[in-house]
Amino acid sequence: MAIEPTTLVALFGVTALAALMALFSAMSRKGRTEDEARAYLAGFTYVLSDDPDAAIAELSRAAQLNRQTLETYFALGTLFRRKGELDRAIRLHCNILLRPGLSAEVRRRAQLALALDYKRSGLRGQAAETFEKLLADEPDNRDALVNYRQVLEETGGWARAIELQTRLVALERSGDDVLAHLLAEIARAHLRAGEADAADLAERAVRLNPASADASLALGELRVAKGQPAEAAGPLCTALELEPELAPRAVGLLAQALAEPPRVAGFLEEQIGARGDQGAPFELALALYLKSQGRGDEAIARLRRLVDRKPHFWEARKELGALLLAQDRSEELRADYEDMLATLGRPALGFVCVGCRQKLPEHLFRCPSCGAWDSVRREEQAPEPGPHI
């Protein structure tokens, strides 16, 4: 039974598809030697068996048999990048670009591959330069727009990242959620630099995506920083309601905005009551607030109840252990929480990126590993503490 092309794509992935295209190209053109075709077939077979070293060897052999076959070099470049041999991938794609008589399409393809090599290598300056050259020739190249934007996010080039994301939104009629994140980040950067338009940028982010917890948080942060606590309360409460995991780290801002202790505790208690078992981040936030108010015993009592109910809520366990040690209640800590002592010096990896599966110690809006926005979640299963650092 014939296999549909879409099934091949889903089954073999991008790398296998590149090798398959090279194979079809080799087999379909006249004048190919039997040895060359056999080398392509062997290379493709090794890709499918997840043996990149053998695949590289066979495809290199095919390239030597016919040096005019660019598809072979592109397939090799993909395999080099996959295997982490980035220097070889960079040299290969640079050599392609040096070849005379390249068509515009092949040149753009080689530029994209080279920019991805530089990005993967951490050579952000070279990656940015190559992406700029590609976008000058092909302004609507989606892969270039997305990957270059990610490079700019890593280097804090928020203004250019916003330009690229705006272009993506126009192309795809979606992506306002990412654009709101970028506006929130540039608002924070402008606040640190003393720029007058910081609040305007944060307000624009909220208007663009009212469901963005990041945008509301940025607006609240800016208003607190500018001495407008009353105006900060609304966006801060909205941010925490949209993303409860923000509560522990934003409780200090909330305390400045609401000012009166009963109002702070009241908001957190309201969220705890309304969310039931999903209100744990607000319980931890309330314990942290009680601690900041010098009410350590009450904070310990709340944390005890939270840890008893959710033994794998690592942030609460660590905070409880730290509080018991700070109050010189080490015997109590040893008696009731012996396993907690072993975790106090370790990062609590309770979050995971649903895209790349990178484990993280805290909630973040952007995964630092794969660059995806809004992909970090608290792990459903019990997470393990990370290794000693």
Side-chain angles (χ1 to χ4, degrees):
M1 182 174 62
I3 300 177
E4 293 293 330
T6 53
T7 304
L8 282 173
V9 173
L11 180 62
F12 301 145
V14 175
T15 303
L17 180 60
L20 180 60
M21 290 171 63
L23 172 62
F24 284 169
S25 174
M27 300 295 284
S28 64
R29 295 177 186 173
K30 294 180 181 180
R32 295 286 189 247
T33 67
E34 185 177 338
D35 284 346
E36 183 184 354
R38 190 160 34 244
Y40 273 107
L41 181 58
F44 180 59
T45 302
Y46 285 126
V47 169
L48 297 185
S49 62
D50 200 25
D51 190 345
D53 288 326
I56 287 169
E58 290 296 339
L59 288 174
S60 295
R61 181 166 171 262
Q64 291 171 357
L65 289 168
N66 187 342
R67 293 186 178 276
Q68 300 303 312
T69 308
L70 284 169
E71 288 297 337
T72 307
Y73 291 102
F74 282 120
L76 274 172
T78 302
L79 286 169
F80 287 149
R81 194 184 310 123
R82 174 188 169 190
K83 194 170 178 290
E85 296 186 14
L86 298 169
D87 287 344
R88 297 179 74 183
I90 289 170
R91 287 197 302 271
L92 185 149
H93 293 126
C94 284
N95 287 335
I96 290 177
L97 288 168
L98 290 173
R99 294 178 69 158
L102 286 180
S103 68
E105 179 183 356
V106 171
R107 179 169 294 280
R108 289 194 294 267
R109 186 176 170 189
Q111 284 176 326
L112 176 60
L114 180 59
L116 293 175
D117 296 337
Y118 284 140
K119 179 190 175 195
R120 179 80 177 272
S121 301
L123 301 172
R124 299 188 182 100
Q126 292 93 321
E129 181 180 351
T130 309
F131 278 127
E132 288 286 3
K133 289 178 181 177
L134 174 56
L135 289 172
D137 293 334
E138 191 179 1
D140 293 342
N141 186 307
R142 185 190 182 280
D143 287 337
L145 289 170
V146 171
N147 283 280
Y148 186 19
R149 190 204 73 210
Q150 291 177 341
V151 170
L152 292 164
E153 290 167 358
E154 293 168 1
T155 58
W158 302 113
R160 181 62 170 144
I162 287 169
E163 292 176 13
L164 300 181
Q165 184 61 24
T166 301
R167 196 181 302 174
L168 276 168
V169 170
L171 284 172
E172 301 184 343
R173 303 291 184 233
S174 64
D176 282 345
D177 52 343
V178 174
L179 187 53
H181 281 298
L182 299 177
L183 287 166
E185 290 296 343
I186 198 171
R188 293 182 176 105
H190 281 207
L191 174 65
R192 291 191 293 270
E195 302 278 350
D197 64 345
D200 292 338
L201 289 165
E203 288 169 359
R204 180 184 163 196
V206 172
R207 289 195 302 271
L208 183 66
N209 186 10
S212 171
D214 193 13
S216 290
L217 179 64
L219 183 56
E221 291 170 352
L222 286 157
R223 288 179 176 173
V224 167
K226 289 183 174 295
Q228 302 170 336
E231 290 81 359
L236 286 173
C237 290
T238 298
L240 271 57
E241 289 166 358
L242 289 168
E243 180 47 78
E245 296 294 354
L246 293 175
R249 78 170 189 253
V251 69
L253 285 169
L254 187 69
Q256 294 181 66
L258 296 179
E260 299 173 7
R263 293 183 65 196
V264 180
F267 171 78
L268 296 174
E269 291 279 15
E270 180 183 346
Q271 295 299 315
I272 293 168
R275 295 173 186 273
D277 198 49
Q278 303 302 313
F282 288 103
E283 293 184 69
L284 175 57
L286 181 54
L288 293 172
Y289 179 66
L290 292 171
K291 172 187 172 183
S292 72
Q293 297 293 301
R295 297 159 65 180
D297 288 341
E298 293 178 64
I300 288 173
R302 283 204 168 263
L303 288 169
R304 279 189 184 281
R305 291 196 294 270
L306 177 55
V307 168
D308 287 344
R309 195 174 75 257
K310 288 184 167 292
H312 298 290
F313 198 115
W314 292 108
E315 305 99 296
R317 291 171 67 83
K318 290 171 70 71
E319 186 61 36
L320 177 55
L323 267 172
L324 290 172
L325 286 174
Q327 293 195 7
D328 197 23
R329 292 162 67 170
S330 55
E331 288 301 322
E332 186 177 347
L333 174 63
R334 184 180 301 112
D336 294 344
Y337 299 97
E338 290 182 1
D339 57 338
M340 190 183 302
L341 290 169
T343 71
L344 288 178
R346 307 184 188 184
L349 303 179
F351 294 85
V352 65
C353 171
V354 297
C356 68
R357 306 308 301 172
Q358 174 69 41
K359 292 182 182 293
L360 299 164
E362 62 180 342
H363 172 270
L364 298 171
F365 288 113
R366 180 182 183 275
C367 173
S369 178
C370 68
W373 290 97
D374 298 319
S375 65
V376 176
R377 304 282 186 274
R378 185 176 291 277
E379 274 200 296
E380 296 293 334
Q381 63 190 39
E384 293 296 330
H388 288 288
I389 295 178

